[in-house]
Amino acid sequence: MGKLYYQEYRCPHDNKLLFKGVLVDSEIQIKCRHCKNLIKIQGIDKEEMVCKKISCPNRV
Ligand SMILES: [Zn+2]
């Protein structure tokens, strides 16, 4: 995987870090371990998928 651009996803209720990762055009649900709220997270649009890093091998 090498140098991937991970984004931090945080709970909107208590700002705890839920996970780090890259979501593209997807949607997940995750339960916050701290406040037990079910958080719905939507991935970024495909348009924004184009990696901003010049050296990224996933760059289209
Ligand atoms: Zn929370």
Side-chain angles (χ1 to χ4, degrees):
M1 294 282 259
K3 282 189 200 167
L4 252 180
Y5 191 140
Y6 286 124
Q7 189 173 345
E8 291 187 350
Y9 291 91
R10 291 180 178 275
C11 175
H13 303 282
D14 49 26
N15 210 37
K16 297 285 185 190
L17 181 65
L18 296 172
F19 68 95
K20 288 184 189 178
V22 179
L23 289 180
V24 176
D25 199 28
S26 55
E27 186 177 308
I28 67 157
Q29 284 187 326
I30 187 169
K31 199 176 199 177
C32 178
R33 273 172 293 173
H34 300 271
C35 64
K36 312 293 184 200
N37 276 302
L38 194 60
I39 317 296
K40 194 196 237 179
I41 294 174
Q42 287 203 298
I44 50 178
D45 292 335
K46 274 179 181 164
E47 272 70 30
E48 294 176 40
M49 178 183 174
V50 181
C51 190
K52 293 170 182 76
K53 282 190 173 179
I54 306 292
S55 60
C56 179
N58 294 325
R59 201 176 156 91
V60 184

